[in-house]
Amino acid sequence: MGYIELNNVSFTYLLAKRPAMENVSLSIEKGKFYAILGANGSGKTTLCNIIRGFIPNFYEGEMTGEVMLEGKPLKDYSMEDLAPKMGYVFQNPFNQITGARDNVFEEIAYGLENFGVPVDEIQRRVERVMEMTNTAYLAEKNPFELSGGQQQRVALASILVLEPDILVIDEPTSQLDPKETERVFDIIRKMKETGKTIILVEHKIELVAEYADHVIVLENGKVIDFGEKHEVLSKLELQDHGIVLPQSVVLADKMRKQGMEIEPKLVTRDELKQELQRKYGR
Ligand SMILES: Nc1ncnc2c1ncn2[C@@H]1O[C@H](COP(=O)(O)OP(=O)(O)O)[C@@H](O)[C@H]1O
Ligand SMILES: [Mg+2]
């Protein structure tokens, strides 16, 4: 039994012609890092919303199948019970901003206030998370007056500060530069090290290859592949489904075609580099 389980879940948004999620079954282990891949419109955000329970709670439509969390149907949890357990960083950071507070510090502190955390602890936790997400210099700013990338970091901070067991994060780096993107992945890695379960939608495949444990591939609302990252990301045929594979996978394939003997299932730069050094001394 998985930590989170989806059993044959389908969902059709109200008035939509076809399901956005179709017969999806997944088992998610506690403490692992899952990356969700798929083209635009393939259902990545829908899947996140289903795992978080926002579907069917806040979206109209027809849902069948069942989601379980720790052996109990997700629908039997109240939203109040789920909130401290499962954090959700929206794809559009603008939607994350509460509008209830007029500076970034208070915005990040907002959730903790709602959970009744003592003031000095709030101060400590917000400061630490601002440091982590490089948002300390924005503390006095109005959250609505930030750039997209800054909003994205504040949105992430406002969830991290709650220290939920499960983090569902939808494209958190889409508006970030490479340096800030690396920082986000580093934060996620640290979260994983503290035992948190991570579910991340992310297009930057090299970083997925490096950091994720498992990969879920969606196409037209269906899971077309799911498994350990080396198994999934080394499948060249995924390219026929519009999935961009890591450079080392593509490169290793070319080298094999030229007669080089290269171990299968190398998905990161370092893995390919080490293999080339080992076999060919370069
Ligand atoms: N609120 C909504 N109402 C109706 N249809 C939606 C809604 N959100 C998404 N969809 C549709 O569901 C499908 C999956 O969308 P989404 O989960 O946002 O995909 P992704 O995140 O992979 O881009 C798309 O066809 C999209 O148009
Ligand atoms: Mg999306």
Side-chain angles (χ1 to χ4, degrees):
M1 167 88 80
Y3 182 46
I4 304 169
E5 295 228 350
L6 275 74
N7 298 322
N8 212 20
V9 172
S10 298
F11 180 74
T12 306
Y13 289 99
L14 187 70
L15 305 179
K17 290 208 176 61
R18 40 177 229 91
M21 197 96 297
E22 212 174 342
N23 300 324
V24 168
S25 294
L26 286 175
S27 182
I28 298 207
E29 271 179 74
K30 194 180 174 123
K32 295 278 196 259
F33 178 173
Y34 294 78
I36 304 175
L37 302 180
N40 250 344
S42 61
K44 303 179 298 296
T45 296
T46 302
L47 178 57
C48 289
N49 275 296
I50 287 170
I51 292 170
R52 179 63 182 82
F54 290 161
I55 290 175
N57 275 313
F58 302 137
Y59 288 87
E60 285 193 89
E62 161 116 19
M63 179 160 157
T64 57
E66 193 168 46
V67 185
M68 309 281 285
L69 170 61
E70 293 186 303
K72 179 172 141 182
L74 197 67
K75 61 175 168 21
D76 293 352
Y77 290 80
S78 70
M79 277 291 144
E80 292 72 40
D81 288 342
L82 271 186
K85 219 176 165 55
M86 196 160 5
Y88 186 21
V89 182
F90 290 94
Q91 178 166 3
N92 182 350
F94 191 80
N95 293 336
Q96 197 102 34
I97 296 171
T98 60
R101 293 291 183 268
D102 50 29
N103 73 51
V104 164
F105 184 96
E106 289 175 7
E107 177 67 32
I108 297 172
Y110 184 77
L112 289 177
E113 284 170 21
N114 281 343
F115 293 157
V117 175
V119 176
D120 54 337
E121 189 185 332
I122 291 181
Q123 181 82 23
R124 218 167 345 107
R125 280 166 69 170
V126 172
E127 277 171 8
R128 195 176 61 208
V129 103
M130 287 181 115
E131 184 69 33
M132 217 192 251
T133 53
N134 189 24
T135 50
Y137 73 103
L138 302 170
E140 304 298 321
K141 288 240 155 103
N142 181 325
F144 288 110
E145 285 164 7
L146 306 177
S147 73
Q150 290 168 341
Q151 269 181 2
Q152 214 158 22
R153 275 146 46 209
V154 169
L156 180 64
S158 69
I159 296 305
L160 289 176
V161 77
L162 305 175
E163 300 174 9
D165 296 333
I166 306 159
L167 284 160
V168 181
I169 315 176
D170 196 354
E171 301 198 28
T173 70
S174 57
Q175 303 182 63
L176 302 185
D177 63 26
K179 193 162 158 253
E180 291 297 345
T181 298
E182 284 277 359
R183 186 193 288 270
V184 166
F185 273 83
D186 197 48
I187 292 168
I188 294 173
R189 182 180 55 76
K190 286 189 185 126
M191 292 296 133
K192 206 198 106 176
E193 282 167 7
T194 65
K196 309 221 179 280
T197 307
I198 318 282
I199 298 162
L200 172 77
V201 179
E202 178 60 64
H203 291 288
K204 290 166 186 151
I205 196 69
E206 306 298 339
L207 292 164
V208 167
E210 191 178 334
Y211 289 90
D213 297 310
H214 299 278
V215 176
I216 301 165
V217 187
L218 294 177
E219 185 177 51
N220 297 326
K222 295 196 182 79
V223 173
I224 57 163
D225 212 335
F226 174 42
E228 199 276 328
K229 72 172 171 199
H230 293 94
E231 300 295 329
V232 175
L233 296 180
S234 57
K235 286 184 187 158
L236 291 161
E237 59 270 28
L238 284 177
Q239 293 180 120
D240 304 334
H241 297 268
I243 303 295
V244 176
L245 294 177
Q247 276 195 331
S248 36
V249 172
V250 178
L251 202 59
D253 177 54
K254 279 191 187 144
M255 290 171 164
R256 282 187 204 102
K257 282 178 178 147
Q258 288 172 4
M260 289 168 77
E261 277 178 35
I262 296 175
E263 287 291 311
K265 300 174 186 173
L266 307 172
V267 300
T268 69
R269 255 178 73 109
D270 277 355
E271 285 168 357
L272 179 59
K273 211 166 120 187
Q274 278 169 23
E275 169 74 353
L276 290 175
Q277 258 158 13
R278 200 161 62 81
K279 290 241 174 88
Y280 297 95
R282 61 180 176 190

